[in-house]
Amino acid sequence: MQKYLAKSNPPETIQEHTDNLLKNYQTLRKLYPEINIDWYLLELVCLLHDLGKMNRLFQKKVGNGSGVGKEIPHGYLSVAFVPYSKLEDLGYSEDEIQVVYQAIARHHERKKDFTEQEWEAEIEELSKQWEIFSYERLADNADYSSEVDPIYFYPEARIFEDEDTVGSENFKNYVQLKGLLNRIDFAASAGIDVELENDFLQESMEQQLANFRKKNAAADWNLLQKYMLQHQNENVVVIAETGMGKTEAGLLWLGDNKGFFTLPLRTAINAIYTRVTKEIVTDKQAQRVGLLHSETYSQYLLHEENTDMEIDEYYTRTRQMSLPVTICTLDQLFDFVFRYAGFEHKLATLSYSKVIIDEIQMYSPDLLAYLILGLSYIDKFGGKFCVMTATLPGIVLDLLHDNEVDFIQPEEKFVSERVRHSVEVVHTEIDSAFIEPFFAGNRILVICNTISKAKKIYSELKAMFPNKKVRLIHSQFIKKDRSKKEEEIFEDGQKDNPESCIWVATQVVEASLDIDFDLLFTELSDINGLFQRMGRCYRNRALDVDTNVYVFDGGEKVCSGVGQFIDKTIFMNSKNALEKCNGALAEVKKMEIVEQIYSTEALKESEFYDELTQALNYVKGFDSYELDKKEVRSKFRNINSITAIPSTVWQENKEEITRYMEILAKSSKEVSKKEKMIARTNLAEFMLNIPDYLYKKSEGEVHRINRYETVIEFNCDYSEDIGIIMQEKQKESLFF
């Protein structure tokens, strides 16, 4: 019997590969029988999707035959084996049969670069291979035909073009069928399970409560956590103040289901991942909880001693969305809203998953638009979500309603009566001389809107206290220095730390670090950002001083960054609202102010509102499959910076940098994937993101690593205390 290969390294026949798909199909059906999918059709596309690989040109490519001509992507050929007569006899509609053809043909989203005549000729040629092909599991589920009826499929068009795609039943069926085929196929090719069972989280949460009770016999879940536990099967939007145990609440809502926990910042995600794997899911973490963002592999290297699985396999399971619980950034999950070629596996997965959205108020207008649309898709496809936030912009609720998203809200906010902050509004620009008298014995946090302002205040305070601990943190430090600073500010920011210090920072500390300083001095940005900043001071303790927050509102001027990346309308509305906030400020009052300032009515004249509505309309206006994934990644991340190594850092570490580049330049036969990932991770320690406007004003030398990768050496000075130092005066406007 002729053997037909599905892949050559290692060799695997079409039959063997399909057997692996069917194992994963059974796993998926056993773990998630409630998925809204026709299970027979899913099994059918698993059986048929690779039969087109019998063609002579594919077999030649994998070293198993010979032939001359243009190879046509095998998916387009596999449609020749769809048993359309059987499907008609079983009562499937024309639309349902079209979906089967489309899912098989496009399961790899290959570009069509062949004529219909070439396609028809190659399908005709397949009859010769089909005559000698044997696979008992096909039974009567394959029926070769050299002529594919154009009412079911032809290569030129997709079946749902010119429709209201997201709302059409045909589109939903296609996304589910093609997306789950992709998940099953990817897993089979990677040699992993398509899904691992969540049979541990509820028990882990019960154990967590038992641990609390060892310290306090009366310990119990609070009202927020009990509410989430009681509403596990509903979409929920809840407002709860900082310190209410939102992480536990989210995990209780998730229960023993597949779930994704999203946060806006990598540092916050890393912290949640560390906490969950050390305190809650303390066994078999590498088969249960994953971390998904742009630096996943480097984080896994840091935690390697805690995992019970080979790191490459753990990384693969995470990337393939096979783990029961995944903690991730929004861009790793919600880019499906652009409906690019190949998005289906994400939305199909979310159709039987639960998604936790934490800190929704931190997202920019464009990301908020993508989030709202994403939640509407998840709701339509049968998935569940919960939004947990300390402050909820009023416009978010209106947008969810406008996009017909179904959700519930508790009648009351989860907020205590305690008061943590007492505010004094200072009607001037932020002033180091004002801060100076407060240093004695205090741990002080100073937050500025821009890096240039932060550097100025830092330099002045450092000059005032040359022998004291004064530090600076912002986004323009290389990664290893930024990491050290994050560790140091975390230690200094613990309320039981007796050492006095001053930390000058930008927005990087707003929501990413669990710190608790004695005094906060901050520029006004917007009211939401201000309340986030206030959460870094008296984070989990009741007010016991007259004033612990000083807000500089710019006086007759606006604060730095306003009109650049801070919306002027929101700033002025925030400034006016702040007039009524002198003195003690209750948590419920903060929430009310955010709802008012970020209501649809209050935002109507703002740039924030324009950007948000434009982003919503922009994405809705795309035809499905208009963009490819690479285009979507750049749009979704709104990339406006260049990753580079400052020339000073390059020269000081040239030997080490060169060594890592040499490893990356070697072939996969010379070094392992893990060695390359370690080299790439170590190289990244010397890098930072240079804003476009700075990069364009200086020179960058491009060093080529290999055919695909380069490293930029950026012409600037650098200090581990200050960060980038431009060699000529540059205007800086970046806020983080």
Side-chain angles (χ1 to χ4, degrees):
M1 183 184 74
Q2 171 73 43
K3 278 194 172 183
Y4 291 97
L5 294 181
K7 61 179 183 178
S8 57
N9 188 23
E12 183 180 59
T13 66
I14 293 173
Q15 294 95 323
E16 288 167 339
H17 177 61
T18 307
D19 285 344
N20 289 328
L21 262 77
L22 294 175
K23 287 178 188 175
N24 274 313
Y25 163 83
Q26 292 295 343
T27 297
L28 187 68
R29 186 169 186 175
K30 177 185 175 184
L31 294 181
Y32 300 104
E34 73 283 357
I35 295 175
N36 185 22
I37 186 76
D38 184 305
W39 289 103
Y40 169 66
L41 294 185
L42 181 58
E43 183 178 25
L44 180 67
V45 295
C46 288
L47 283 164
L48 304 183
H49 80 293
D50 267 2
L51 294 183
K53 285 183 175 179
M54 284 187 280
N55 81 82
R56 56 204 166 82
L57 293 174
F58 181 88
Q59 292 302 310
K60 177 186 177 183
K61 184 170 69 176
V62 293
N64 191 40
S66 62
V68 179
K70 179 192 291 184
E71 183 191 346
I72 293 175
H74 65 270
Y76 287 100
L77 301 177
S78 297
V79 297
F81 302 96
V82 174
Y84 63 89
S85 295
K86 177 181 178 178
L87 293 175
E88 288 175 336
D89 292 343
L90 289 171
Y92 287 101
S93 68
E94 181 181 308
D95 283 347
E96 289 169 321
I97 298 173
Q98 284 178 337
V99 164
V100 171
Y101 277 94
Q102 289 280 342
I104 292 170
R106 302 182 186 278
H107 72 273
H108 281 310
E109 294 294 351
R110 301 283 190 248
K111 296 286 186 183
K112 178 188 172 296
D113 61 350
F114 53 86
T115 66
E116 279 197 51
Q117 290 73 28
E118 289 170 327
W119 172 66
E120 290 169 355
E122 196 59 48
I123 282 182
E124 181 78 39
E125 181 70 24
L126 272 176
S127 63
K128 299 173 185 175
Q129 283 75 39
W130 178 241
E131 288 174 4
I132 55 174
F133 182 81
S134 176
Y135 182 35
E136 69 279 1
R137 298 184 74 168
L138 283 176
D140 64 346
N141 292 308
D143 184 13
Y144 170 76
S145 174
S146 61
E147 294 183 4
V148 178
D149 193 325
I151 67 166
Y152 293 133
F153 177 79
Y154 61 100
E156 297 298 330
R158 295 179 184 266
I159 58 175
F160 38 75
E161 286 180 342
D162 302 321
E163 294 181 18
D164 174 19
T165 54
V166 177
S168 83
E169 203 60 32
N170 224 21
F171 180 72
K172 288 182 186 176
N173 291 339
Y174 173 72
V175 168
Q176 291 291 79
L177 193 64
K178 195 254 189 186
L180 294 179
L181 170 61
N182 284 152
R183 286 287 315 286
I184 290 167
D185 191 18
F186 296 162
S189 296
I192 62 172
D193 294 321
V194 66
E195 290 287 0
L196 292 169
E197 185 176 7
N198 184 348
D199 57 359
F200 59 87
L201 189 54
Q202 286 187 186
E203 184 180 342
S204 296
M205 295 307 295
E206 289 168 7
Q207 184 59 51
Q208 178 80 333
L209 182 58
N211 293 337
F212 292 154
R213 285 175 173 163
K214 289 177 184 177
K215 300 175 183 177
N216 174 10
D220 197 3
W221 300 123
N222 62 29
L223 291 176
L224 166 67
Q225 292 157 348
K226 288 179 178 178
Y227 180 87
M228 298 302 286
L229 195 53
Q230 292 161 2
H231 294 86
Q232 283 184 323
N233 297 318
E234 296 171 278
N235 296 332
V236 183
V237 176
V238 295
I239 305 172
E241 71 172 284
T242 300
M244 276 280 182
K246 291 200 293 290
T247 300
E248 284 82 0
L251 294 175
L252 285 167
W253 174 81
L254 177 56
D256 282 352
N257 295 283
K258 185 176 182 67
F260 296 86
F261 198 125
T262 71
L263 294 104
L265 300 169
R266 280 199 304 267
T267 45
I269 291 168
N270 293 341
I272 291 286
Y273 170 76
T274 299
R275 186 173 165 226
V276 169
T277 53
K278 286 188 174 181
E279 297 178 15
I280 299 174
V281 183
T282 57
D283 188 33
K284 300 180 181 177
Q285 298 97 325
Q287 297 175 42
R288 294 176 168 179
V289 183
L291 177 74
L292 186 57
H293 55 55
S294 58
E295 297 175 2
T296 294
Y297 202 95
S298 61
Q299 284 299 309
Y300 281 177
L301 288 172
L302 293 176
H303 292 267
E304 190 170 14
E305 73 282 358
N306 299 325
T307 68
D308 51 6
M309 185 184 292
E310 163 62 36
I311 192 168
D312 283 348
E313 186 177 353
Y314 187 18
Y315 181 69
T316 300
R317 289 187 187 279
T318 304
R319 299 295 302 178
Q320 298 291 353
M321 305 170 75
S322 296
L323 294 167
V325 180
T326 305
I327 303 166
C328 60
T329 48
L330 196 70
D331 65 291
Q332 295 290 342
L333 207 56
F334 275 66
D335 60 353
F336 69 81
V337 297
F338 282 92
R339 307 188 306 281
Y340 56 85
F343 79 92
E344 298 89 355
H345 71 284
K346 290 188 178 181
L347 187 49
T349 302
L350 292 173
S351 76
Y352 61 94
S353 302
K354 300 173 80 172
V355 183
I356 301 165
I357 310 294
D358 198 2
E359 304 291 2
I360 196 172
Q361 77 285 348
M362 289 294 295
Y363 291 110
S364 59
D366 53 344
L367 292 181
L368 184 57
Y370 307 153
L371 177 58
I372 296 293
L373 280 179
L375 294 180
S376 75
Y377 291 179
I378 290 169
D379 184 38
K380 286 183 176 72
F381 274 73
K384 298 295 179 187
F385 70 84
C386 80
V387 173
M388 302 185 301
T389 184
T391 54
L392 181 66
I395 194 171
V396 170
L397 297 177
D398 290 342
L399 288 170
L400 288 172
H401 287 304
D402 290 347
N403 285 274
E404 301 178 343
V405 182
D406 183 41
F407 65 93
I408 62 167
Q409 267 191 290
E411 292 182 7
E412 296 184 6
K413 303 175 180 70
F414 295 100
V415 57
S416 67
E417 295 181 0
R418 69 176 177 172
V419 176
R420 297 183 295 142
H421 301 113
S422 182
V423 177
E424 180 180 324
V425 181
V426 185
H427 300 296
T428 66
E429 296 181 76
I430 193 165
D431 182 10
S432 54
F434 184 98
I435 301 168
E436 182 181 13
F438 293 89
F439 191 23
N442 285 310
R443 294 171 303 110
I444 291 174
L445 179 62
V446 182
I447 304 181
C448 302
N449 293 342
T450 62
I451 291 175
S452 56
K453 180 70 76 173
K455 286 180 179 178
K456 178 178 181 293
I457 296 296
Y458 166 77
S459 298
E460 292 170 355
L461 290 170
K462 188 70 176 171
M464 291 173 184
F465 304 105
N467 300 316
K468 301 290 185 179
K469 188 169 190 177
V470 182
R471 298 287 188 270
L472 174 67
I473 184 170
H474 53 68
S475 66
Q476 289 179 9
F477 287 99
I478 62 172
K479 187 181 175 187
K480 69 174 183 177
D481 289 342
R482 169 88 173 264
S483 298
K484 287 178 187 174
K485 286 177 178 289
E486 286 175 352
E487 291 174 9
E488 192 177 4
I489 193 174
F490 178 79
E491 291 173 6
D492 289 342
Q494 300 310 299
K495 64 183 178 183
D496 55 356
N497 190 325
E499 185 181 1
S500 61
C501 62
I502 300 179
W503 275 88
V504 182
T506 56
Q507 188 191 342
V508 293
V509 300
E510 275 188 21
S512 59
L513 296 169
D514 186 3
I515 51 180
D516 186 353
F517 280 79
D518 300 323
L519 293 173
L520 172 67
F521 298 85
T522 178
E523 283 190 284
L524 176 63
S525 54
D526 64 272
I527 206 75
N528 198 32
L530 172 63
F531 292 157
Q532 287 295 313
R533 294 175 184 188
M534 288 166 67
R536 309 312 111 188
C537 168
Y538 274 61
R539 181 169 178 79
N540 281 310
R541 47 179 161 154
L543 185 69
D544 57 3
V545 294
D546 291 336
T547 304
N548 57 2
V549 176
Y550 296 87
V551 183
F552 297 83
D553 69 1
E556 296 300 315
K557 302 178 181 178
V558 296
C559 293
S560 65
V562 176
Q564 296 168 315
F565 51 85
I566 298 172
D567 187 286
K568 191 168 184 179
T569 300
I570 296 175
F571 173 83
M572 294 308 297
N573 289 346
S574 300
K575 189 171 182 177
N576 292 334
L578 206 55
E579 291 291 335
K580 304 170 188 174
C581 293
N582 266 308
L585 189 58
E587 297 303 306
V588 69
K589 181 67 174 175
K590 295 177 189 175
M591 295 176 180
E592 289 170 357
I593 292 171
V594 169
E595 287 177 24
Q596 292 164 8
I597 288 179
Y598 282 86
S599 69
T600 303
E601 185 179 355
L603 289 173
K604 274 285 175 67
E605 303 302 319
S606 69
E607 290 182 12
F608 180 97
Y609 183 82
D610 290 343
E611 288 180 37
L612 178 55
T613 52
Q614 285 171 14
L616 279 166
N617 294 331
Y618 177 66
V619 180
K620 286 180 179 179
F622 273 115
D623 289 333
S624 296
Y625 308 98
E626 184 175 336
L627 302 176
D628 63 29
K629 189 171 183 178
K630 188 175 181 181
E631 288 177 289
V632 168
R633 300 304 283 175
S634 63
K635 287 178 183 294
F636 197 94
R637 290 179 175 176
N638 196 15
I639 297 169
N640 59 357
S641 61
I642 305 295
T643 301
I645 300 176
S647 53
T648 308
V649 174
W650 189 292
Q651 296 308 318
E652 290 174 355
N653 301 276
K654 190 170 185 177
E655 185 176 330
E656 190 175 352
I657 289 170
T658 302
R659 186 167 71 251
Y660 298 140
M661 291 174 64
E662 288 172 350
I663 292 171
L664 292 173
K666 292 181 179 179
S667 70
S668 57
K669 294 180 180 179
E670 296 174 288
V671 295
S672 68
K673 176 184 175 182
K674 184 172 182 179
E675 287 176 293
K676 283 199 171 190
M677 291 298 288
I678 291 172
R680 188 171 286 110
T681 297
N682 290 336
L683 183 61
E685 291 291 302
F686 299 107
M687 295 179 176
L688 51 69
N689 289 327
I690 310 285
D692 276 348
Y693 73 92
L694 281 185
Y695 184 75
K696 291 172 182 175
K697 293 181 180 180
S698 190
E699 296 178 357
E701 184 178 351
V702 179
H703 298 265
R704 182 157 295 283
I705 296 175
N706 53 41
R707 182 180 171 187
Y708 305 103
E709 295 178 278
T710 59
V711 179
I712 295 172
E713 178 185 353
F714 182 62
N715 186 24
C716 68
D717 292 327
Y718 178 84
S719 158
E720 65 180 27
D721 295 324
I722 297 173
I724 287 178
I725 304 166
M726 298 305 296
Q727 294 171 350
E728 57 181 274
K729 183 69 177 175
Q730 304 287 348
K731 180 181 178 182
E732 296 183 42
S733 64
L734 214 66
F735 64 94
F736 48 88

